[in-house]
Amino acid sequence: MAAVARILLRRIALLVPLLLGIVLFVFVVMRFSDADPASAFFQGANPTPQQLHDFREEHGLLDPFPVRYVHFVGDLVHGDLGISALTRAPVVDQILTALPLTLQLTFLGLGIAVVLALLLGVTAAIYRDRLPDQLVRVVSLTGVAAPGFWLALLMIQYLAVDLGWFPTGGYINPADSVTGWLWTMTLPALALSLPVAAQLTRIVRTSVVEELDRDYVRTAIGGGLPPHVVVGRNVLRNALINPLTVLGLRVGYLLGGAVVIETIFSLPGMGKLMIDAVKNGDPAVVQGVVLTTAVGFVVVNLVIDILYLLVNPRLREAA
């Protein structure tokens, strides 16, 4: 456990410059974009040049770049992401309202992807080069090639419009109805998760096949242990180390893909919040959503690193 603690402390220490780099990158990109906080604030009001100048001076927009960056980081440390130019509400409040739905969609999609990948990947490995394996390969290749937004449109057309099994959009809070929540979230979660499930399936299959070919598996089965016990107790535990390393990157994909999926299904999450902010010229909200998503990606990968340390004894010994 001491080795795990040392590695964990090193990873956390590396987060500080990484997060500062992310903040700097987003800050620079937003400064060189066409978005103007002053123009967005006075949108539709036809302000005079003096009003625009006074607004920029009041909010530090005329300060030198390094000074603005230091003030920006200081505001972030205090949890201040600025004020929306359109709603005049704190950006943090808008993100805290939209973020729970995005997290629900992301982790529901992640759960579906992991379950499908395990079922299909292990089945394909056990029946390698036979009919089930060939079918899984075809399905996984199709899933990898199919983009999430295309799957979302197909599901809306056939499962929602033609068959009427699911709604075409909208959202029901789980606090109001768990059944209604599942009804509204199933199609978005499936559209988001299927490409990830297809990619993970191929990785799980390869890892399980490699593990099944090891001597200890043949010895255990030859010693009288049932194959399902060997696979469930030993093979899976060792074979899932490699897929776990890929899972962190896939969670980042899910967070990013949720932007498109939420827009297609009219879900009031982070994706819809950012799209609306881009369309309406609200740079503070765009900046806040991008920063929140980037930080979430970094934190998720840190959690995956911790899980990887816990399940990989060889890495702990090397530390």
Side-chain angles (χ1 to χ4, degrees):
M1 293 302 295
V4 174
R6 286 197 301 270
I7 297 176
L8 181 58
L9 288 175
R10 287 201 298 266
R11 298 287 172 84
I12 293 176
L14 289 173
L15 281 184
V16 177
L18 178 60
L19 291 175
L20 287 176
I22 292 173
V23 171
L24 178 61
F25 176 78
V26 173
F27 184 79
V28 170
V29 169
M30 292 303 298
R31 297 294 82 77
F32 283 99
S33 69
D34 294 332
D36 180 16
S39 300
F41 183 84
F42 289 105
Q43 191 173 50
N46 195 22
T48 64
Q50 184 62 42
Q51 287 177 309
L52 292 173
H53 180 273
D54 292 342
F55 179 89
R56 295 187 181 108
E57 186 174 21
E58 179 184 353
H59 292 83
L61 300 178
L62 301 179
D63 293 338
F65 182 86
V67 175
R68 294 168 61 188
Y69 177 67
V70 171
H71 290 163
F72 180 65
V73 173
D75 291 339
L76 288 181
V77 172
H78 292 89
D80 183 6
L81 290 172
I83 302 296
S84 170
L86 297 177
T87 64
R88 307 296 193 269
V91 175
V92 171
D93 293 344
Q94 294 181 266
I95 289 178
L96 290 178
T97 301
L99 184 59
L101 188 146
T102 298
L103 293 178
Q104 291 169 24
L105 177 59
T106 299
F107 287 102
L108 180 60
L110 179 64
I112 294 173
V114 169
V115 170
L116 288 177
L118 287 176
L119 290 175
L120 296 177
V122 173
T123 300
I126 293 175
Y127 294 96
R128 70 176 114 171
D129 298 327
R130 286 181 277 178
L131 181 60
D133 183 23
Q134 301 297 335
L135 291 176
V136 170
R137 288 186 188 184
V138 171
V139 171
S140 63
L141 285 173
T142 304
V144 169
F149 71 89
W150 181 74
L151 291 174
L153 295 175
L154 286 182
M155 290 178 182
I156 290 175
Q157 179 61 47
Y158 293 108
L159 298 180
V161 176
D162 293 345
L163 297 177
W165 291 351
F166 299 96
T168 57
Y171 173 72
I172 296 178
N173 195 301
D176 299 328
S177 172
V178 175
T179 304
W181 175 77
L182 285 173
W183 190 51
T184 55
M185 294 291 283
T186 297
L187 287 189
L190 282 174
L192 186 64
S193 66
L194 288 181
V196 175
Q199 296 169 7
L200 287 177
T201 295
R202 303 180 68 187
I203 299 172
V204 170
R205 179 198 176 276
T206 301
S207 297
V208 174
V209 165
E210 292 177 354
E211 205 66 27
L212 287 173
D213 288 337
R214 298 189 182 275
D215 292 337
Y216 80 88
V217 175
R218 290 191 290 267
T219 301
I221 294 177
L225 284 177
H228 68 274
V229 173
V230 178
V231 171
R233 183 181 300 173
N234 303 106
V235 172
L236 274 181
R237 184 175 59 186
N238 295 325
L240 293 183
I241 293 176
N242 289 332
L244 186 60
T245 61
V246 181
L247 191 59
L249 297 176
R250 296 302 94 197
V251 173
Y253 167 84
L254 290 172
L255 282 170
V259 173
V260 178
I261 299 300
E262 287 173 0
T263 303
I264 292 175
F265 286 94
S266 299
L267 297 175
M270 295 281 282
K272 189 173 186 300
L273 179 64
M274 185 169 73
I275 295 298
D276 290 344
V278 170
K279 290 192 300 184
N280 296 322
D282 198 344
V285 175
V286 175
Q287 184 172 259
V289 172
V290 172
L291 278 174
T292 303
T293 304
V295 171
F297 178 79
V298 171
V299 171
V300 166
N301 277 274
L302 175 63
V303 173
I304 295 297
D305 286 343
I306 295 172
L307 294 177
Y308 186 66
L309 288 172
L310 295 176
V311 301
N312 192 346
R314 288 173 293 186
L315 190 60
R316 295 198 301 270
E317 293 171 1

